[in-house]
Every structure is written in structure tokens, then in C-alpha cells.
Amino acid sequence: MSAQIWVLGGTGRSGRTIAAHLAQRGLTAVLVGRDARRLHAAAEQTGSETLSAPSLAAAALQIRRQRPGVVINTVGPFTTTAPEIVDACRAVGSHYLDLANDVAALSAAFAMHDAASQAGHTLVTGAGFGVTATESVVVKLCEGRPAPLRVRVDMVPSMAMEDGTAGEALIGTLLGSLEGRQITDGRLAPARILGEAVRLTLPDGSQVTTASMPLGELLAAHRASGARHVVSASSEAPSSPVIRAVMPAVSALMRWGRLRSFTTRRLARVRVRAKERPREHSWGHAVVTWADGETREGWLRLGDAQEYTGAVPAEIARRLLAGAGRPGAYTPAALFGPALAESCGAAYLLPEPGRQRHASDSDPTR
């Protein structure tokens, strides 16, 4: 196995951002993609190397042949792309990580834990902003404590947008979150999509509304805390009453595999206009409540969410190459603890000892 770090989807925004953060850590990425011209243009920006692969199957074959040390998958939808790439990595002992952030993709990754353990390679899923930011706060709040009763996590991203297309990774994640889910009595259960709306006052004094979306942080928060009841929410969830009314019908339609694939491909080509990020900071937020009524609330503050989605995979890849991983399937904080978030430029804002809230106070998890 070599010391190379391959970035699948190397010409996309996430791939280019990861390559830049690898370069900052003194590491050289190998950008993998279908278009040789675009690969070379992207590689010039970061001093990366390139590998042209006309298809996912071709990339998997090259992994088996060249045995890279770490493979970072940025190509969505991850329920489709991950299995073939993970199989190739497992066959040769390469470590694997991806940016998945939907329940189906994370569930599939966790199901590979035993196979990864037996093969001696590390699989990290959810290595982006949403999962890492919220899971890290939950781990921090639960340190040294028994499993809580309830957890609510909220992701509040702020990122600049560049001209381009939405991409299948983002659209696949959004469509994968249209079927309402929460953790009830320790199990994944149906829930009303865009429910549990809460008006949050951020630590900087600004306010946002978050509503439930069953993204990957739902499973990550559950695994990190062991809580019986978990809700995940996002400030990106639509808040229009009209959208809320039609969402159940859209969710039902998306269960049809062919329609969902068609919709993903079409929406991935929608043009997105450049715009500045809406606020200075992005935030991960968690409220954790124990059976005795004690409630703790914490925040993780960082900058541009897209930049953070570049920093986290780069730092994880660096650690995996250094031998700091362990065999099996994990989310970022589950593998490397809450300090990983800080090593990527984030800061915790946590309650001072003796200032915890109780369930009788305003509690968005109740």
C-alpha cells in the first residue's frame, strides 16, 4: 500500500478544497476524475497529481492495482458510489472516507464495520461539516456521563457559493432526507419532515430557524450518545408553509427508484449563482437531556462550512496515513474524538460548570 491520497471527484468544489487543505498539511493529493483537461487545471492550483478514470468501475480497478494509502470519495450519491469503492479499498487494505450525509448512506457504511475490521482497514463516513460539527458537540457534552434520554442537534451552515452546478452529491443528500426520520425509543422511526421547528439564538446574537431533516447527523448523534430519542435539524430546511404542505407528497414520489435517480441527475445540473456567505460563522449545536432533568447545551463555531468540509477529510487522511486509525467503520468524532474538530479550526462554546439547564427550562428537544 502506497502513501498516496486519492480524491475521487477531484475537479468538483469539495475535491479541490480537500486538495488545498492537504497541500497546507504538506501532503499531495492525486485528483481522480473523468475529464483529463479539467483534472490538470484543478491540479495546477494545489500542486496535485492526476489520474484519469472514465468511470467509477475504472477508478475501483485502479485502486486495486495501485493500492493508494487513503481514498477520499466526494462523488455522490454515496449509496450508489460507496459500495464499489469500499470493496476495492477493502481488498487491498486502503483506508476509505467520504462526505456522505444522509441516513441511508451512513447506515450502509455502518453495516460494513465487521468486514472492515476483518480486513484491517478504516472506513470513515460523514467526513464533512454537518456530521462532524454536530457529532463533536454531542461527544463533548456527553463525556464522562451516562447515556442521555434525549438529544437534538442543529446544523447551521454558512458558506459562499460559486458559479456552477449543484452536483449529484448535494442533490442526493437532499433527496435522501425527504423521508422524515427520528430516533424514538432507540430505533429509527418515521417522523414528520420539517417538523420540530425552533427559533435559535446563536452565540453571536443573530437568530435562525431550524427544522427537522433526517440527515446523517441523526445517526451520528445517536451512536455518539446512546440516547433513546434523537432529532436532527437544519437551518437549511425549507420554512415556507406551502413547501411544508407539499413535502409529504414529494417524499412519497422519491421512494420510486427510477424517479429518484432521474430527479437527482436533472437537479444536479441546475446552475447555482455565486454569492457571499450569509453570516460570519457556521455552527454545530446540540442540546442533551438526561433522565434526571439535567440539560446541557453546546455549540461548535467555525468559518465557511465548505472550507471545513475540506479541512476535515484532509486532517483525517493525514492521521490515517500516520497510522492513527483503527479497523472498522466510524464517523469522524467517533474515531478521533471531539479534539478533531478543533484541529480543523473550530472552537467549542460550552456551558460553564454549575450552569446547566433543567428540563423545566426552554428545551427544544421536548
Side-chain angles (χ1 to χ4, degrees):
M1 187 173 66
S2 76
Q4 289 184 329
I5 301 174
W6 288 16
V7 181
L8 307 189
T11 62
R13 187 180 183 188
S14 292
R16 288 181 279 118
T17 305
I18 292 168
H21 281 275
L22 286 170
Q24 293 173 13
R25 289 162 171 77
L27 300 169
T28 301
V30 177
L31 304 184
V32 183
R34 293 175 294 183
D35 189 322
R37 181 184 60 81
R38 292 181 61 202
L39 281 173
H40 286 294
E44 287 181 352
Q45 301 174 17
T46 55
S48 302
E49 301 175 10
T50 64
L51 174 66
S52 180
S55 66
L56 190 72
L61 180 60
Q62 289 300 324
I63 290 170
R64 293 175 184 270
R65 287 177 174 173
Q66 300 193 39
R67 300 172 177 248
V70 180
V71 175
I72 303 174
N73 182 14
T74 73
V75 182
F78 295 100
T79 49
T80 301
T81 64
E84 188 169 9
I85 300 302
V86 171
D87 283 347
C89 290
R90 186 168 58 239
V92 297
S94 300
H95 301 305
Y96 169 92
L97 60 143
D98 65 33
L99 309 182
N101 191 20
D102 62 90
V103 169
L106 264 71
S107 295
F110 295 148
M112 301 177 192
H113 177 79
D114 290 344
S117 297
Q118 293 171 8
H121 86 124
T122 304
L123 186 163
V124 183
T125 189
F129 160 71
V131 171
T132 305
T134 56
E135 176 195 30
S136 296
V137 180
V138 172
V139 172
K140 196 77 171 175
L141 293 174
C142 292
E143 283 181 320
R145 298 297 310 275
L149 178 63
R150 299 178 184 275
V151 169
R152 177 187 173 112
V153 293
D154 302 89
M155 75 160 184
V156 184
S158 178
M159 56 185 157
M161 302 297 294
E162 60 180 22
D163 280 319
T165 57
E168 291 194 21
L170 174 60
I171 297 302
T173 293
L174 292 176
L175 293 182
S177 68
L178 290 180
E179 189 174 358
R181 289 286 187 270
Q182 64 184 26
I183 302 295
T184 302
D185 290 327
R187 297 187 179 187
L188 196 61
R192 185 167 65 90
I193 187 73
L194 308 183
E196 305 281 348
V198 169
R199 187 70 173 169
L200 288 177
T201 299
L202 306 179
D204 62 10
S206 62
Q207 291 188 325
V208 297
T209 297
T210 65
S212 62
M213 288 186 72
L215 296 168
E217 47 261 36
L218 176 68
L219 295 186
H222 177 53
R223 289 168 67 91
S225 66
R228 290 178 56 196
H229 307 284
V230 182
V231 172
S232 66
S234 170
S235 63
E236 300 299 282
S239 57
S240 163
V242 175
I243 293 178
R244 287 174 180 269
V246 303
M247 192 60 69
V250 175
S251 299
L253 289 173
M254 288 301 100
R255 294 171 190 162
W256 295 356
R258 290 185 178 180
L259 178 59
R260 182 167 175 168
S261 297
F262 172 78
T263 304
T264 299
R265 292 193 300 270
R266 290 296 297 270
L267 292 180
R269 294 197 291 268
V270 170
R271 301 294 301 182
V272 177
R273 292 184 178 181
K275 65 177 182 179
E276 297 295 323
R277 70 180 194 241
R279 64 186 68 85
E280 181 180 2
H281 296 114
S282 299
W283 302 90
H285 174 248
V287 177
V288 181
T289 303
W290 281 267
D292 64 1
E294 181 185 352
T295 295
R296 302 190 74 203
E297 179 178 20
W299 300 83
L300 185 74
R301 182 185 63 206
L302 53 124
D304 188 288
Q306 180 65 51
E307 285 297 316
Y308 201 68
T309 298
V312 171
E315 177 60 20
I316 291 173
R318 184 193 69 78
R319 295 186 184 201
L320 292 177
L321 276 186
R326 62 182 186 271
Y330 307 93
T331 43
L335 180 60
F336 290 119
L340 172 71
E342 295 173 304
S343 70
C344 297
Y348 289 103
L349 284 69
L350 301 172
E352 298 177 9
R355 296 193 63 182
Q356 292 84 1
R357 295 191 289 123
H358 286 266
S360 57
D361 301 323
S362 175
D363 181 0
T365 70
R366 292 178 62 81

